[in-house]
Amino acid sequence: MDASGKPVALLAVCGHHIDGATLYRTNPDESTSDEAHWTADDPLGPGVVSWPLNGDVPGWTVDYYLTGLRPGVTYTLYGWTKDNSWSAEAVDFTLADLADLTPGRVRFFDIYKGDGGSTATVAAADFYKRSCP
């Protein structure tokens, strides 16, 4: 969540590379479909990358934009490589989940939690440390 309260994607790249990201929705009444799709101009190396969920993003080709989030729909955001050699852990969220976030907080799938992995919310400053121990 950025300072103005708009959702922002954060992607932690841990020791590999990521070529792009996709946001899609799954609704019981509809088939799964992409809502937004971004391809990095150059592979993303280790570190954290962030971008707004709509609009142009420097260093990325926006293949299609987010048209809006709807109540009652679960969305999934994940990072991928063109050759399917690696991917980032996907995080699921709803509008209600986003409403619970405050600026500077990040919701992500924490695979290192003792329960085998589940969604966690941490300060943005702690996101990379928690994602890439």
Side-chain angles (χ1 to χ4, degrees):
M1 191 69 60
D2 71 10
S4 67
K6 294 187 178 175
V8 175
L10 264 71
L11 182 64
V13 182
C14 308
H16 297 277
H17 80 280
I18 294 292
D19 294 316
T22 300
L23 176 71
Y24 64 90
R25 63 176 155 56
T26 302
N27 187 319
D29 299 330
E30 302 174 26
S31 63
T32 299
S33 67
D34 292 334
E35 291 287 316
H37 192 266
W38 304 269
T39 303
D41 293 344
D42 295 304
L44 306 170
V48 175
V49 176
S50 67
W51 67 95
L53 290 180
N54 57 5
D56 290 327
V57 182
W60 295 77
T61 299
V62 182
D63 300 309
Y64 35 95
Y65 295 98
L66 180 68
T67 56
L69 300 173
R70 297 182 299 175
V73 176
T74 299
Y75 296 89
T76 301
L77 177 68
Y78 76 102
W80 44 264
T81 57
K82 292 175 183 174
D83 65 1
N84 293 320
S85 63
W86 198 254
S87 64
E89 288 293 331
V91 63
D92 295 333
F93 64 92
T94 64
L95 276 177
D97 295 325
L98 294 181
D100 288 340
L101 287 177
T102 56
R105 303 286 290 170
V106 178
R107 178 184 171 90
F108 73 108
F109 187 80
D110 187 354
I111 64 171
Y112 298 104
K113 285 179 84 170
D115 60 4
S118 60
T119 302
T121 302
V122 299
D126 295 329
F127 174 59
Y128 188 75
K129 291 186 286 188
R130 290 281 296 271
S131 300
C132 304

